[in-house]
Amino acid sequence: MGAVLTGLGVGLNAVAAPVFKVAPAAKLPEWSKSSAGVEAESEVLKKAITSVAADLARLGATADETSAEIFEALTFLLEDESLFDMAVGHMDEGWGAAAAYGTAVNEFAEMLAGDPAFEERIADLQDLSKRVQASIAGIHVGLDLPSEGAFVIVGDDFSPADTAQFTKAVVGVITIKGGPTSHTAIICRSRSIPAVVSVAGADELENGSVILVDPVGDRVVVGGDLSQATKPLEFANTGAEPLVPVRANIGSLEDAEAAAKTGAVGVGLFRTELLYLNESSQPSVERQGELYASILAAAPEGPITVRTIDAGSDKPVPFLNMPEEENPALGVRGYRLIQDHRSFIEDQLKGLEAARVATGREIWVMAPMIATAQEAAEFAGLARSLGSFKVGVMVETPSIAALLPDLEGIVDFVSVGTNDLSQYLYAADRMNPSLGALLNPWQPGLIRTLERIASQAKAAGIYSSVCGESASDPAFAVLLAGLGFDSVSSSRSQVDAVRSALAAVNESQAQGLAKAVLASKSAEDTKSAAVAALSAL
Ligand code: PEP
Ligand code: MG
């Protein structure tokens, strides 16, 4: 076998094809001060913004639906007045248009830094900044892509504007930077282009040499062919219904529409804060109601579980003006916003009730980052006073995980957010790439906590679900069903794979898998026990 480079795989299919290295974009000039004055520099910036907006409109007109929506969102960001005003502020300090805009975007991006879900927005913003600065400097930042044949393109990372230019000749993608939630990963997943992102050493690959892109193996094999590709776990198509319902996680209208094309039964997590990232003021109840109604109408059939805003820490929402905190993951985030932003949470629930009435959909509402039974009771009372919902809370803190019996008669359901529950159980910052091993959902400490949650919820007559990323792994979803959870909610691209796994097992097989996993004492052993149980089916 040739040299093997490792990274993070995107998708389940492999491809072998020659490398096409994409040249890095032209270098932008250094930032400098200007003596032309604020008025002249603002004119320069305005002209550049108009020209980039025209470019985006042109790209959007010929792009597919997903990319066209991305261009629309980019144009929205580009025309943001507060961003322009921030740039003018820097012109006041004597900076030229490019420097002023670049600095304003960096400041804006800093406010969004943290959560992987928001990293995408940061990439959008930085891409815009580059385009605007290039326009000011009169240089071109386009991509040189193959138009004929079949190639694996290799580059640093690809912006939304770059991925929109991918031709049919792009059959695989490798990036040196990026991550599992980068635009490159999202677009490749949505277009089923095999990709491996975050591949250190990919810049050493040679143009024209054949490589195997092996996403399931999280690797790239130089000189490899398809016979060496790692096979995903396969499940016989029994035509049976999954052992427990598989819902979808969504954060936008586009997600809702895409989820409706899968076998998802309703939505298990609607992350509402994603709608508010670009709002500079609190949207009215009416506006929220309309927005929710369009998303509810598009979502897959079944109950729709809506989470009230989960801002704070790694999820900043500009109009809430939240102060900086020493230790934000342990600070005022999630439901704790009720302290200073009660009216926003109430408005959300009112908007949701209006959307429920308008669409006739069944809505379950839940609050994030609940730590005490009193908070759960307060939220349940508030939600029930404002609408006809099933009411629940997320289980993301170790304290509420220990208090399930106390929630009897208070909530209808709980949904476990394993991303945060891992972070708080293991005292391991979920944004710290060095702590990935502790955040692995196959860690026995998390799994045994999940077992207790499922059994105590059942004993208390509370419906239980899991909506963290762990539920997007088909083998883990079988474990969750075996532990006794009533449903799982997966990232929309994983819904059908999770459904197949859950349709291939019966209750006693899932319970047998859970028993073997619970008897294992390391993250490696729990996963091997699950894979062994599934392979023996
Ligand atoms: C979680 O914490 O698992 C979760 C689903 O919420 P988020 O990832 O949005 O914090
Ligand atoms: Mg969470």
Side-chain angles (χ1 to χ4, degrees):
M1 192 171 5
V4 175
L5 306 177
T6 56
L8 295 164
V10 175
L12 296 174
N13 300 317
V15 69
V19 167
F20 185 102
K21 289 175 94 165
V22 179
K27 233 174 159 334
L28 293 169
E30 295 279 312
W31 289 351
S32 59
K33 295 239 173 181
S34 156
S35 54
V38 175
E39 213 170 298
E41 290 298 331
S42 326
E43 276 313 306
V44 170
L45 180 56
K46 259 190 216 151
K47 236 172 99 188
I49 288 177
T50 310
S51 142
V52 173
D55 283 350
L56 292 178
R58 197 167 30 76
L59 285 169
T62 53
D64 63 26
E65 202 183 325
T66 309
S67 304
E69 279 177 24
I70 290 170
F71 287 125
E72 223 173 273
L74 283 175
T75 309
F76 188 73
L77 282 173
L78 186 66
E79 288 167 354
D80 188 285
E81 279 177 24
S82 56
L83 193 56
F84 188 87
D85 291 346
M86 280 160 78
V88 172
H90 293 298
M91 291 172 195
D92 264 334
E93 296 157 8
W95 291 102
Y101 192 72
T103 310
V105 166
N106 287 347
E107 288 165 354
F108 210 75
E110 240 170 65
M111 287 161 39
L112 300 182
D115 192 304
F118 298 92
E119 297 292 330
E120 297 159 29
R121 304 280 170 153
I122 294 173
D124 288 353
L125 271 169
Q126 293 299 3
D127 178 53
L128 278 181
S129 177
K130 216 166 66 184
R131 290 176 162 269
V132 169
Q133 291 179 58
S135 169
I136 291 168
I139 53 180
H140 178 66
V141 285
L143 273 195
D144 174 25
L145 288 171
S147 52
E148 302 273 320
F151 294 92
V152 176
I153 61 162
V154 178
D156 215 30
D157 194 10
F158 298 103
S159 69
D162 295 339
T163 55
Q165 295 171 53
F166 284 3
T167 57
K168 284 212 170 63
V170 177
V171 296
V173 172
I174 308 275
T175 67
I176 298 161
K177 295 189 183 142
T181 58
S182 65
H183 262 294
T184 307
I186 290 167
I187 293 296
C188 288
R189 201 176 278 122
S190 81
R191 292 205 206 156
S192 300
I193 301 175
V196 183
V197 299
S198 228
V199 182
D203 46 346
E204 306 287 326
L205 291 168
E206 278 172 27
N207 257 332
S209 67
V210 171
I211 57 169
L212 169 71
V213 180
D214 180 13
V216 177
D218 289 320
R219 63 183 194 156
V220 175
V221 182
V222 179
D225 61 47
L226 284 177
S227 70
Q228 296 164 314
T230 313
K231 303 246 175 323
L233 271 177
E234 276 181 1
F235 299 96
N237 186 355
T238 57
E241 273 302 294
L243 188 54
V244 295
V246 181
R247 311 202 197 284
N249 291 353
I250 64 166
S252 64
L253 178 58
E254 189 206 349
D255 283 346
E257 287 167 345
K261 295 190 184 122
T262 70
V265 177
V267 167
L269 170 64
F270 172 8
R271 290 182 162 104
T272 55
E273 62 280 356
L274 301 184
L275 302 176
Y276 303 118
L277 284 181
N278 299 317
E279 301 275 348
S280 49
S281 59
Q282 184 166 323
S284 65
V285 173
E286 291 69 34
R287 197 169 120 58
Q288 291 188 57
E290 284 163 15
L291 200 55
Y292 295 142
S294 64
I295 295 175
L296 300 187
E301 274 184 40
I304 301 173
T305 314
V306 185
R307 175 172 80 182
T308 54
I309 196 154
D310 188 15
S313 180
D314 48 7
K315 301 179 175 99
V317 168
F319 62 81
L320 295 177
N321 293 321
M322 299 177 67
E324 284 212 0
E325 291 181 302
E326 188 75 14
N327 212 342
L330 304 180
V332 181
R333 54 164 301 196
Y335 183 67
R336 298 168 185 183
L337 259 74
I338 197 91
Q339 294 173 14
D340 293 326
H341 299 283
R342 172 173 287 272
S343 74
F344 183 68
I345 294 177
E346 287 176 354
D347 283 1
Q348 272 203 298
L349 292 165
K350 289 177 195 163
L352 272 171
E353 173 63 3
R356 186 192 68 77
V357 171
T359 59
R361 298 298 301 258
E362 177 184 346
I363 309 294
W364 300 16
V365 292
M366 63 181 181
M369 287 299 297
I370 291 289
T372 67
Q374 290 68 39
E375 286 173 350
E378 186 196 25
F379 175 71
L382 182 65
R384 292 200 173 100
S385 73
L386 295 174
S388 292
F389 311 118
K390 276 205 177 168
V391 180
V393 292
M394 288 194 73
V395 177
E396 297 178 292
T397 61
S399 61
I400 206 70
L403 292 171
L404 262 293
D406 295 17
L407 300 182
E408 182 168 355
I410 293 178
V411 295
D412 302 308
F413 72 98
V414 291
S415 182
V416 185
T418 44
N419 309 336
D420 275 315
L421 187 56
S422 282
Q423 155 165 267
Y424 297 122
L425 265 182
Y426 282 88
D429 184 345
R430 71 190 257 196
M431 300 308 150
N432 189 330
S434 314
L435 301 177
L438 291 175
L439 298 165
N440 179 350
W442 291 98
Q443 281 287 358
L446 176 70
I447 292 171
R448 293 187 205 178
T449 307
L450 289 170
E451 191 245 351
R452 215 178 49 235
I453 295 169
S455 61
Q456 293 192 339
K458 196 156 279 164
I462 298 170
Y463 181 99
S464 65
S465 182
V466 175
C467 64
E469 289 306 301
S470 63
S472 294
D473 172 341
F476 205 91
V478 173
L479 166 65
L480 294 171
L483 291 175
F485 284 97
D486 296 306
S487 65
V488 295
S489 189
S490 314
S491 142
R492 62 170 159 101
S493 64
Q494 292 295 109
V495 165
D496 288 331
V498 169
R499 274 177 62 88
S500 304
L502 282 165
V505 290
N506 60 32
E507 193 175 8
S508 80
Q509 287 167 330
Q511 285 170 348
L513 178 150
K515 202 166 158 212
V517 168
L518 286 167
S520 306
K521 296 192 167 53
S522 70
E524 292 69 37
D525 289 352
T526 53
K527 187 167 182 182
S528 310
V531 171
L534 290 171
S535 308
L537 286 178

